[in-house]
Structures are given as C-alpha cells and as structure tokens.
Amino acid sequence: MIPHPAHRPPSAARAFLTAGPGTAALAEHVLATGHGRWWSDRADRPRLVGVSCAGHTLLAGDPTALPAAALAPFAGQHVEAPDRFLPALGAAFERLTPWERMLYVHRVPVTGPQLPWGVTVRRLTPADTPALAALDPTMAWIHAGWGGPGGLAGSGRGWAAFRRDRVLAVACTRFAGSAYEDVACVTAPEERRRRLTLACVTGLTADIAARGRTASWCCSRDNRPSRLLAWTAGFRLAREYTHYATGPVSPASRLPYAA
C-alpha cells in the first residue's frame, strides 16, 4: 500500500467522505486537521483505498487488488471494512477479532451535574498542554487523533475536569466531521463514579451543537458503563456494527509482491 499525506488523499477517497456519524467522520477529520494518513494500492486510479487515524482504519474498494501482505500497515489497528475484506484480513494477520460496537447520536439536551468541591470543568486551552501530557499513559490515547497533548489542547474541541492543575477527566472530539463530531472520554481510575466525565461530556456536546454539528458516540456492546454514560448524557442508539481488531502480521502473508 502506498501512503499519502493527510492533505493529499488519493482520488478514490470520496468513498469515505460521507459526512456520517461515528468513525464515518474519521476521513473528514484527517483531511481537515492533517492528523492521519491515506493509503492506496497505486497512485493512478486506485482499486483499494484506506484512511487511518488514532489506531482506526477504514478500507474500501477491491480487497483482491493486492495480496494479503499489502495490508501489513494495518496491524494492531481497529479496522472497519465491508465483509468482502474479511478473507484478505484473515489471511494478513495472525488474529482478527470481531468487536461488536454501538453507535449513538446525541438527541436530548442534558444539564451538567453538580461538581465535587474543588473541581472545575472547562474547555481546554493551549496552556493546558502540560496537564494533558502528565496524564497516565493508559489515558494518553485520548489525544492521539490530534497529534498529541498540544494538538488537543489547542484544538478547542476538548473539555476537562481539573483539581488545581491536575486533569481528572477529559471529553473531546475524537473525529471532527462536517456534520458530526465523534466523542471520546477518559477518567482517572480513582476519580470514577463522581460524574466528572458526564460534566465534561455535557460541556463538549453543548459546544458541538453551538458549532452546528451533532455529537456521536461509539463504544463496545459489552461496555455497559460507557453505554450508560452515553444514555445519561443524552445520546440515543442509532445502529450497531462490527469492526475488527487486527493482530500481528501473519508469517504466511509475508511474501514479496508488486504493487
């Protein structure tokens, strides 16, 4: 697969520019922010195209255009693709784990909860970069779609709960599209069940609505706390789908090929 810079998508990239909710906003996010990468099987009239950002990949086109080895760049990713890609993905990786997902769309305005004493919830600013950089490594994925702590802090698309200068919880736009912004959130383990994330999500969804867009929310079907938080924050189920977690590249697929 040939990589392309975020601002120079291959000609077939229009397959992803659907202005939809959830990870459907990923392609628009890559194009608008410069964070992520496009892929194609060839530079002219590509038969197979992809777009990746923050550990997620969307694929479209003809999965038989290249041998399975060509899919190696998508190892360790969460891949969404039509069912016709499953044989190629199964041959490319040692493991291909289906992950049932639920997509919610924000429908009901919600008032933010009362905050514990000493906690402030507000929009992130560039000055908050050090606080985001100090997050526990297990929470650092939250700013991956913005290129790191500074990118998220300066994006205007994040809200956080603070105690003094420490970030306790974050909610942010994970992928920003023209019609929908997909929301992600994290909370420090010791601060859970204090409704801090709900307060952050409430502020963020109001911001998204003020921008003339609709917030969406994706989570695992088995993640009951995330599903409950989504419902409490005013999101309602739109559809269910499956994406696939890819493992290491299969040794059997590591064969020479010509693009």
Side-chain angles (χ1 to χ4, degrees):
M1 293 287 280
I2 302 170
H4 302 267
H7 292 306
R8 296 181 61 187
S11 59
R14 60 183 177 275
F16 301 117
L17 301 176
T18 61
T23 50
L26 186 156
E28 290 184 297
H29 178 85
V30 171
L31 192 59
T33 68
H35 300 298
R37 178 169 291 181
W38 301 90
W39 304 86
S40 69
D41 66 309
R42 58 190 184 188
D44 184 43
R45 296 183 181 179
R47 300 158 295 176
L48 173 62
V49 291
V51 59
S52 300
C53 182
H56 289 262
T57 294
L58 309 181
L59 295 174
D62 180 5
T64 67
L66 292 174
L71 300 178
F74 312 126
Q77 297 271 308
H78 295 109
V79 176
E80 289 181 48
D83 288 347
R84 63 180 178 273
F85 277 84
L86 293 182
L89 290 168
F93 304 106
E94 290 184 3
R95 296 188 306 276
L96 186 67
T97 306
W99 199 347
E100 294 181 329
R101 308 283 290 172
M102 306 186 79
L103 169 62
Y104 295 82
V105 172
H106 196 255
R107 300 295 189 199
V108 182
V110 172
T111 302
Q114 185 173 354
L115 298 174
W117 184 86
V119 174
T120 301
V121 172
R122 59 171 174 79
R123 187 183 298 106
L124 290 166
T125 71
D128 297 316
T129 297
L132 284 178
L135 286 172
D136 185 279
T138 61
M139 299 167 65
W141 65 267
I142 194 69
H143 46 63
W146 295 95
L152 175 56
S155 70
R157 307 295 180 96
W159 281 64
F162 293 85
R163 183 180 293 115
R164 295 190 177 92
D165 295 328
R166 180 176 176 243
V167 172
L168 311 178
V170 180
C172 71
T173 295
R174 180 178 63 149
F175 302 128
S178 58
Y180 293 90
E181 296 188 25
D182 197 52
V183 171
C185 57
V186 291
T187 309
E190 68 276 14
E191 301 292 342
R192 291 172 183 166
R193 299 183 178 87
R194 305 188 70 188
R195 299 171 72 83
L196 302 182
T197 310
L198 175 60
C200 295
V201 171
T202 301
L204 176 63
T205 53
D207 264 4
I208 292 171
R211 287 192 284 271
R213 298 171 181 169
T214 302
S216 65
W217 180 293
C218 299
C219 67
S220 169
R221 186 177 183 182
D222 297 330
N223 191 341
R224 188 174 183 275
S226 184
R227 291 167 55 189
L228 179 60
L229 177 57
W231 181 270
T232 305
F235 292 80
R236 297 296 180 262
L237 183 64
R239 68 179 180 89
E240 299 184 39
Y241 67 101
T242 301
H243 71 200
Y244 296 85
T246 59
V249 175
S250 170
S253 73
R254 294 173 182 165
L255 300 173
Y257 68 94

